[in-house]
Amino acid sequence: MWPNWSLIVGLVLTVIGRAMSNDQPSSFRRFEYKHSFKGPHLVDRKGRVPFWDSFGNSLPSADQVRLTPSIRSMKGSIWNTIAFEADNWEVEAWLRVTGRGTVGGDGMAIWFRDQAGTEGPVFGTSDLWNGMGLILDSFDNDGSMDNPMISLIVNDGTKAYDHEHDGRSNVIGQCKRDFRNRPHSFRLRITYWNNELKVEYDHGSSPEPFYELCLQANGVHLSKKGYFGLSAATGGLADDHDAVKFLVSSLSSTSFAPAEMPTIESKDADKAEEMYQQYSQDLEQKKEEYAKEHPGAKVPEYQYESPFDRSVNQILSGMQDIRAVIMNLQATISSGAFQGQQGVAGTGQASGGSADAMISQALARMTQEVQQTLRRNQEDTSSILRLHGETLRRASAPGGPGGPGGAGGIPSHAASELTAMRNEMRQQQATIQEIVSQLAVIAQQTGTNAKSQSQSDSSDCLSYSTVLIVALVEAVVAVIIFWRQKQKAAAAEKKFF
């Protein structure tokens, strides 16, 4: 028995692929908003990106950061002002490099350094850095015909960038990708995990990213604390270098500890409570002083709206909205609109399908509106019951409401008003339930009409197919008869001669 060589080869390739892959294990991520930026509304009122400083000819705007315009000899950069601390991290960058010519210059770079950079000679920022630099070099300085190129350089702060040879002596990984003049922003995903750095590239041909491996380097030891930055420069040739998004996430093999919520110390809480009580006493004192100074004047109630009055007014407003919705639904059902549409459904196959769709959409829309109205009705009913219970509790307590003002801002007649409101809410609930029943009947009638229409259409199709089959059979019989007659005529001619 011969072995299944295709299966064996497939298993071997799978094992080799898993051994060579460097995908990180399942990890937890946390978005770091203080080390990221994205539009819209990218800049503040002063034209600055929050938590970032811009240098040189960079131009932050509402949607992007233009590191350099397409003008010769420009330099620009943007640097995070807050140090980033994490053992493992990931960066996703949306970038654009556009220019008129087929060859561009000079290029741009993404940095992670132990110190934030300033304006300088290396693609718009300072040289002799300690950290990582991902160089996107558009111009071929050494004539090797290998640009545009994406190169990774890790520096210890002692090596100067060699422009004449495109920094080739310090490159630890690179890939050739034409990132200029893409239909959409091209994307880079940089993952640093357990001293291994991987760069993935999306060419920007579609709005949705599709990453492919660009380069991968092992044994990359970066500082656990550093600053992210982006920079660009132009030379004799000039491109627009734009940073559209820059998103940073911390990675960890274990879940991140929840952020500590700010707490108020007990002494601060006591102080706040004391200030509130003092404010309440001052307010009552000012009311009394006003009443003494103006004995004949009546203070408008809206100037001193109590929490009870505020809650009742909110509930009354909700009840009014619910009442309007119910009246609209009843008017729609009683107007006979659905019966008219059902009549149209029987006039023909095309019009029937359109009418059924209209009825279904209208029923779905009305059902959703009824459900929202019922939910709001239930919420208002709960609020009424809560206020009613609070009113009864305060009325039965010592020193309860004995006058028109009541205690705690609750008038003495509140219980009767709340009872009337609760009764009206119950009536609204009953009306809503009746509307639900009417909608269910209409939906059932619509389904019955659609079913009968479908059966009629199928019977029409069946009769049509039957006629077609009979016509085909008759045609075949006619052909056979004609062929036999022709054969008999030929035989008779042979016999005659």
Side-chain angles (χ1 to χ4, degrees):
M1 181 177 179
W2 292 98
N4 191 343
W5 291 107
S6 60
L7 179 61
I8 295 175
V9 172
L11 292 174
V12 171
L13 292 176
T14 302
V15 172
I16 293 175
R18 290 184 177 180
M20 294 179 64
S21 64
N22 189 41
D23 292 337
Q24 65 193 51
S26 58
S27 60
F28 298 89
R29 68 176 55 239
R30 180 179 62 196
F31 177 65
E32 304 290 349
Y33 72 95
K34 291 185 179 181
H35 307 279
S36 308
F37 62 81
K38 65 176 181 177
H41 313 298
L42 181 59
V43 296
D44 58 17
R45 294 181 178 179
K46 296 182 179 180
R48 297 179 301 186
V49 180
F51 310 111
W52 294 78
D53 279 342
S54 55
F55 300 91
N57 304 113
S58 60
L59 301 171
S61 63
D63 299 320
Q64 64 184 16
V65 177
R66 173 149 292 178
L67 299 172
T68 62
S70 54
I71 303 175
R72 295 180 180 180
S73 303
M74 294 285 108
K75 298 178 181 179
S77 62
I78 183 169
W79 286 92
N80 199 192
T81 58
I82 301 176
F84 175 75
E85 295 186 59
D87 294 335
N88 307 293
W89 45 264
E90 181 181 271
V91 171
E92 287 189 88
W94 280 251
L95 308 172
R96 271 200 303 264
V97 178
T98 55
R100 295 183 178 181
T102 57
V103 179
D106 277 338
M108 62 189 308
I110 299 175
W111 307 96
F112 181 73
R113 302 182 173 189
D114 61 348
Q115 297 293 331
T118 57
E119 185 177 349
V122 184
F123 294 94
T125 193
S126 53
D127 201 352
L128 300 177
W129 72 92
N130 185 2
M132 176 214 76
L134 187 67
I135 311 297
L136 287 74
D137 195 347
S138 303
F139 187 75
D140 189 7
N141 290 289
D142 57 0
S144 299
M145 306 298 293
D146 55 359
N147 292 74
M149 178 70 71
I150 302 175
S151 305
L152 175 64
I153 297 178
V154 177
N155 201 341
D156 58 1
T158 62
K159 304 171 185 177
Y161 183 78
D162 184 8
H163 282 279
E164 294 183 0
H165 301 89
D166 293 331
R168 189 176 304 277
S169 58
N170 298 326
V171 171
I172 63 174
Q174 62 183 9
C175 67
K176 184 178 180 181
R177 297 290 185 272
D178 187 7
F179 47 78
R180 296 183 66 250
N181 297 323
R182 307 306 303 172
H184 303 273
S185 300
F186 68 92
R187 306 162 185 87
L188 290 172
R189 182 165 62 190
I190 309 169
T191 306
Y192 182 67
W193 179 268
N194 291 340
N195 299 326
E196 296 176 351
L197 198 144
K198 179 173 64 175
V199 178
E200 296 170 285
Y201 171 80
D202 170 71
H203 44 69
S205 296
S206 63
E208 297 299 326
F210 182 78
Y211 288 105
E212 60 181 9
L213 182 63
C214 171
L215 62 90
Q216 184 171 310
N218 300 327
V220 178
H221 297 277
L222 300 178
S223 175
K224 305 301 180 184
K225 181 178 180 180
Y227 295 83
F228 286 107
L230 297 96
S231 67
T234 62
L237 300 175
D239 285 336
D240 289 326
H241 298 91
D242 301 325
V244 181
K245 293 182 184 179
F246 190 81
L247 309 180
V248 179
S249 300
S250 299
L251 303 179
S252 176
S253 57
T254 58
S255 60
F256 291 95
E260 296 183 359
M261 299 298 294
T263 58
I264 302 177
E265 297 182 1
S266 57
K267 60 179 182 179
D268 294 334
D270 296 339
K271 185 177 180 180
E273 180 65 23
E274 182 181 354
M275 292 175 62
Y276 174 75
Q277 294 296 337
Q278 183 65 34
Y279 171 77
S280 300
Q281 294 177 5
D282 293 342
L283 180 61
E284 294 297 331
Q285 184 178 357
K286 289 181 180 180
K287 288 181 182 180
E288 294 176 0
E289 292 177 356
Y290 183 86
K292 291 179 181 179
E293 294 176 358
H294 306 81
K298 183 179 179 181
V299 180
E301 295 182 357
Y302 64 84
Q303 292 187 4
Y304 304 108
E305 184 183 30
S306 65
F308 175 84
D309 294 335
R310 189 179 305 111
S311 300
V312 171
N313 290 333
Q314 291 176 353
I315 295 174
L316 289 174
S317 177
M319 292 173 61
Q320 186 175 2
D321 295 340
I322 293 174
R323 193 181 300 113
V325 172
I326 291 176
M327 294 178 62
N328 186 23
L329 292 172
Q330 289 177 335
T332 303
I333 294 175
S334 60
S335 63
F338 291 108
Q339 288 80 358
Q341 291 179 1
Q342 290 175 9
V344 174
T347 59
Q349 182 176 359
S351 61
S354 176
D356 290 341
M358 292 171 56
I359 295 173
S360 301
Q361 293 177 1
L363 287 175
R365 186 168 56 252
M366 292 184 65
T367 303
Q368 183 179 5
E369 190 173 1
V370 168
Q371 292 175 352
Q372 293 177 355
T373 306
L374 182 60
R375 190 181 304 112
R376 184 170 181 179
N377 178 280
Q378 293 172 352
E379 292 175 356
D380 291 346
T381 303
S382 302
S383 300
I384 291 175
L385 294 176
R386 177 180 57 78
L387 288 175
H388 191 267
E390 181 70 13
T391 303
L392 296 179
R393 183 183 65 80
R394 295 194 180 188
S396 60
I410 299 180
S412 57
H413 54 83
S416 58
E417 291 183 359
L418 291 173
T419 302
M421 292 169 62
R422 184 177 60 181
N423 294 335
E424 183 177 352
M425 296 299 289
R426 288 177 177 175
Q427 293 178 1
Q428 288 184 355
Q429 288 183 1
T431 306
I432 294 173
Q433 296 294 341
E434 182 180 356
I435 293 175
V436 171
S437 302
Q438 293 176 358
L439 289 176
V441 172
I442 295 174
Q444 185 177 4
Q445 293 176 355
T446 304
T448 304
N449 293 338
K451 184 176 180 181
S452 61
Q453 181 68 23
S454 175
Q455 292 177 354
S456 175
D457 294 342
S458 62
S459 62
D460 293 341
C461 294
L462 179 62
S463 61
Y464 177 76
S465 60
T466 303
V467 172
L468 182 62
I469 292 173
V470 171
L472 288 175
V473 171
E474 291 178 352
V476 171
V477 171
V479 169
I480 293 174
I481 294 174
F482 176 76
W483 180 75
R484 287 186 176 180
Q485 290 178 352
K486 189 174 181 180
Q487 290 291 331
K488 290 181 179 180
E493 290 179 357
K494 291 180 180 179
K495 185 177 180 181
F496 180 77
F497 288 106

